[in-house]
Amino acid sequence: MKSLEELIGEHPLLAGFAPAHLALVAGCGSNTHYGPGEFLCRAGQPAQHFFLIRRGTVALELEIPGRGPFRFSTVTAGDVVGWSWLIPPYEWQFDARVLEDVSAIRFDGACLRGKCDADPALGYALMKAFAGVLVKRFMETRLQLIDVYGRRD
Amino acid sequence: MTVPSLLTTADLDRLIRMLADGGYTCVGPALRDGAIVYDEIGGVADLPAGWTDVQDAGRYRLERRGDGALFGYNVGAHSWKKYLFPPAEQLWRIPRATDTIRPLTPPQHPVRHAFIGVRGCDLAAIGIQGRVFGHGEHGDGRYAARRDAAFVVAVNCTMAGGTCFCTSMGTGPAAGPGYDLALTELVDADRHGFVVDAGSERGAALLERLACPAAGDAEIADARARVDETAGRMGRTLATDGLREVLLRQLDSPHWDEVGERCLACANCTLVCPTCFCSSVEDVSDLDGSHAERWRRWDSCFNPGFSHIHGGEVRNSTGARYRQWLTHKLATWHDQFGTSGCVGCGRCVTWCPVGIDLTAEAARLREREDSA
Amino acid sequence: MAAATERACGTSPLLPHAWRVAEAWRETGDVVTLALEPAAGDGACDWQPGQFNMLYAFGVGEVPISVSGGTSRRLLHTIREVGPVTRALGALAPGSIVGLRGPFGTAWPLREARGRDLVIAAGGIGLAPLRALIDTVCRERDAFGQVAVLYGTRSPADQLYGPDLDRWRRAGLQVEMTVDHADVDWRGPVGVVTSLVRRVRSDGQRTTAFLCGPEIMMRFMARELEQAGVADSHVWVSLERNMQCATGHCGHCQLGPVFVCADGPVFAWQHVRRLLTVRAL
């Protein structure tokens, strides 16, 4: 069985991280499983974690009063759930609901922030990795906004 | 190589009548509504004798010359393209039937035109449009058929207009290949004649039938000198060296929108241009729905709807449309057809209602690049 | 004219020929597929995936529609109803006659992609010009490595060719679909089609990509593929412009130096990428 360090080193988010940094990150992580209908996080709650998805599917949703949940994205193996742990006020902005059995590595945000503060090189590497995730989400959201397939008549 | 002949005005008249007798519909310059246009002519009497034109950006006026020259002016708003690429042409007409569409080609009455007074720039333009319509896997044979049927009497220019720049484009003032006959008008106080040169077998045959005397060395030299002198008197110039590359590097320049502020998108430049070839098709049916027709009509890249795709216009500003026209004419035409799309006739400059000058805009884009 | 005698679908590229609607069925709320057969006994159209025909609705007008499948004597055209002509075509009942000119334009260069992995990405109605290509790949499955079909639409109700998607999966293709918008009943992925690239298992260096969809979608898809290591010389796109004559003479479909109708619609990304980033070219 692979060690947690090996597992996270294979994840696209942390590809290219120095072994020493991987060890530090792994120290804040643990394997976890969720069944369909369970929530990885809920909007408004303290964002204490983020997740590297290894298997399964998660829907990112926002509850709209009177309309029900609006699903703006789904994520799957190789994706990341959660950036709110990194940026104050450390509060989830959306719901992450499991659609298909999820295996993930869950990281303790406070633990990682402490290590980043102590080792700015690690902090910079993680910040760059998360910036990449955010930029991709942002670009995809822009594309959704353009509504490229919509009718124009 | 035949020896050039020397024709009098009366000989030229005979030449036109011989062409008409030979089945050609003769068209040439004629005075209409204060301008020199191309229209059907019966003989020398229909030519604008003694008139000239004064041209500048956005300006065209006729004036008296003070002599009897028959070709003492430059090009007007018309070009020969209206005969070879008609402004409106039926492509087909079909009856409605429940079981089939049986396309009918329109009745073909090929008109054989004799063009009297084709300038070097316009002869080059006819060659360019021939390449355009012959281009690609599915060439449009109608243009070639009309062109091949046409008899071309060219005129070597002995005066340059205010918006002329054929020397920059290498198309004049002497007419290049493609003519059947080329004449140079010699008009002075004491004589009026034409040195005429054959450029084809049928031209030479006609010249032989005219049985005019051979032009003398002095007359040939005089004619050549007048044309050479004209080359130095162009009203405009266009620096073509590396121009394609300059323009293609400037696609994102703010200059296009600056021109777009002045341009009215009236499409005059494209209609008077002897090489512009864009067209639209219009599908129509008669009121009882028993027949449908397709017509091809001249269109312009300045017209709204020209670049329409689902959702709207690709070229959604006048600046973008001007850029399309100018870069097509002077740059991407080379990629498509191996030549410039501009022959230096100056019509687009003269007939622009706000006087936008292609030569000036091209120069400005070059300057902007140099100063960047 | 030499060209006239070589026509596959008629005697002149300018004259429409009669084809009969053999079948017509609705794919989605505003998309119809017509199956056309020659009205005259000897009619045929030797098309290749990626090429298009000009379809004429009597007295209304003519539109370019890619061939989405069939044979030389049974042509499938999938039409989105967005204007008067496409609506007239979409309303035709079996037995009706349409005028057809074609085929025109360039085909997907599938032969050059043999032995390579394929990413075939479509957005919306863009699956139609790729459908016949995917069918060919299925028939010659062993000639290619990993093959992924990535398909994005606005909503689940806009997805075309449901039975074909299942068929392609059974033929060993990786078929991934996503929608931009969905309600919570939708079990599949939500997100733009570019987000599917990270699910592709093939090696970027060995991959040829065929893209068709809205221009913006193709631009971002090409960028995503490049980041995954696919060379721009191995990315092919199908462009849309105002095609009227389909022979490169009317000027409407020009994009810089190219006539999209005759030089395209299928282009190597490396040849058009610069042109597509110039505003309003």
Side-chain angles (χ1 to χ4, degrees), chain C residues 151-169:
Chain C
Y151 182 33
T153 60
R154 187 166 194 262
S155 75
D158 295 314
Q159 287 184 343
L160 300 174
Y161 307 144
D164 295 317
L165 294 162
D166 291 337
R167 187 164 52 81
W168 296 335
R169 266 197 202 96

Side-chain angles (χ1 to χ4, degrees), chain B residues 213-245:
Chain B
D217 287 346
E219 282 132 352
I220 292 171
D222 187 8
R224 190 168 297 144
R226 289 178 194 228
V227 174
D228 288 348
E229 202 180 307
T230 302
R233 290 195 183 147
M234 294 288 139
R236 296 286 195 277
T237 57
L238 178 65
T240 56
D241 181 39
L243 183 57
R244 174 184 169 277
E245 290 69 27

Side-chain angles (χ1 to χ4, degrees), chain B residues 37-300:
Chain B
V37 302
Y38 296 137
D39 204 346
E40 289 193 26
I41 57 171
V44 159
D46 293 330
L47 296 173
W51 288 96
T52 192
D53 50 17
V54 180
Q55 303 193 36
D56 202 347
R59 188 165 189 278
Y60 179 92
R61 295 286 181 278
L62 292 189
E63 285 180 4
R64 280 285 180 194
R65 279 178 61 93
D67 64 19
L70 299 179
F71 298 99
Y73 40 84
N74 294 101
V75 294
H78 285 197
S79 71
W80 310 96
K81 89 174 171 182
K82 67 175 179 171
Y83 298 109
L84 299 173
F85 168 44
E89 182 179 12
Q90 192 190 76
L91 296 183
W92 45 254
R93 174 178 159 85
I94 55 174
R96 171 168 223 141
T98 49
D99 63 337
T100 187
I101 291 176
R102 195 170 296 114
L104 308 171
T105 41
Q108 297 287 328
H109 299 298
V111 176
R112 291 165 69 221
H113 281 114
F115 298 147
I116 312 296
V118 178
R119 309 296 177 140
C121 54
D122 280 352
L123 189 56
I126 290 169
I128 287 171
Q129 279 209 328
R131 289 178 88 133
V132 167
F133 287 109
H135 169 257
E137 189 188 348
H138 312 294
D140 178 353
R142 287 163 304 177
Y143 189 92
R146 291 191 181 103
R147 168 65 184 96
D148 292 345
F151 190 100
V152 173
V153 179
V155 168
N156 296 317
C157 287
T158 50
M159 61 167 279
T163 58
C164 288
F165 56 103
C166 64
T167 46
S168 298
M169 307 315 295
T171 63
Y179 57 80
D180 294 295
L181 294 174
L183 52 89
T184 308
E185 186 169 23
L186 302 176
V187 57
D188 293 315
D190 53 351
R191 67 165 175 182
H192 191 180
F194 304 87
V195 175
V196 181
D197 195 17
S200 70
E201 281 181 24
R202 61 183 175 183
L206 192 66
L207 211 49
E208 203 175 309
R209 281 177 55 211
L210 272 174
C212 294
D217 287 346
E219 282 132 352
I220 292 171
D222 187 8
R224 190 168 297 144
R226 289 178 194 228
V227 174
D228 288 348
E229 202 180 307
T230 302
R233 290 195 183 147
M234 294 288 139
R236 296 286 195 277
T237 57
L238 178 65
T240 56
D241 181 39
L243 183 57
R244 174 184 169 277
E245 290 69 27
V246 168
L247 295 176
L248 294 182
R249 282 193 298 265
Q250 297 280 317
L251 293 177
D252 293 314
S253 170
H255 189 72
W256 304 111
D257 283 334
E258 291 169 25
V259 183
E261 293 283 311
R262 287 176 277 141
C263 173
L264 307 178
C266 69
N268 265 13
C269 50
T270 57
L271 298 177
V272 297
C273 177
T275 68
C276 271
F277 60 85
C278 287
S279 64
S280 290
V281 294
E282 186 181 29
D283 284 305
V284 294
S285 57
D286 47 16
L287 283 176
D288 66 359
S290 64
H291 282 83
E293 298 175 356
R294 177 167 298 165
W295 284 79
R296 182 173 78 173
R297 294 176 199 283
W298 286 2
D299 199 355
S300 167

Side-chain angles (χ1 to χ4, degrees), chain A residues 17-100:
Chain A
F17 267 50
H21 284 161
L22 281 180
L24 284 169
V25 174
C28 297
S30 58
N31 271 307
T32 177
H33 301 276
Y34 293 85
E38 288 191 88
F39 284 81
L40 270 60
C41 63
R42 281 178 182 272
Q45 293 187 350
Q48 291 162 340
H49 304 103
F50 78 90
F51 303 84
L52 299 186
I53 308 298
R54 296 182 48 219
R55 199 162 59 81
T57 310
V58 181
L60 306 184
E61 298 172 347
L62 205 54
E63 178 74 13
I64 303 175
R67 227 173 102 181
F70 178 82
R71 186 178 298 169
F72 51 87
S73 182
T74 54
V75 295
T76 184
D79 291 333
V80 181
V81 173
W83 43 263
S84 304
W85 67 277
L86 187 60
I87 299 155
Y90 313 120
E91 188 182 299
W92 290 110
Q93 304 294 310
F94 52 84
D95 300 336
R97 189 164 66 90
V98 174
L99 298 178
E100 290 164 15

Side-chain angles (χ1 to χ4, degrees), chain C residues 16-41:
Chain C
H17 281 256
W19 286 61
R20 186 189 314 280
V21 178
E23 278 183 84
W25 61 90
R26 201 153 276 278
E27 302 279 357
T28 71
D30 63 355
V31 176
V32 168
T33 294
L34 300 181
L36 303 178
E37 293 175 359

Side-chain angles (χ1 to χ4, degrees), chain A residues 148 150-153, chain B residues 303-316 321, chain C residues 63-64 80 82-84 86 213-216 218 238-244 251-255 260-261 276 280-281:
Chain A
V148 288
R151 298 183 69 90
R152 308 272 184 274
D153 47 6
Chain B
N303 285 341
F306 185 83
S307 62
H308 182 85
I309 57 173
H310 173 58
E313 294 293 298
V314 175
R315 290 187 279 279
N316 51 16
R321 291 172 195 164
Chain C
V63 284
R80 188 179 184 204
V82 294
T86 48
E215 198 166 300
I216 293 288
M218 292 191 288
S238 178
L239 298 184
E240 181 199 3
R241 283 295 183 270
N242 185 352
M243 300 191 266
Q244 292 199 1
H252 284 262
C253 69
Q254 287 182 87
L255 172 67
V260 172
C261 72
L276 296 184
L281 190 68

Side-chain angles (χ1 to χ4, degrees), chain A residues 100-148:
Chain A
E100 290 164 15
D101 276 324
V102 163
S103 297
I105 305 163
R106 182 175 67 192
F107 293 88
D108 183 307
C111 165
L112 263 182
R113 290 200 305 269
K115 290 183 180 179
C116 289
D117 289 343
D119 181 350
L122 171 65
Y124 179 56
L126 260 183
M127 199 60 110
K128 272 202 293 189
F130 270 85
V133 172
L134 287 174
V135 164
K136 197 151 254 183
R137 288 278 159 77
F138 184 50
M139 292 307 298
E140 291 175 2
T141 306
R142 283 178 171 175
L143 273 180
Q144 274 175 315
L145 269 177
I146 294 170
D147 191 19
V148 288

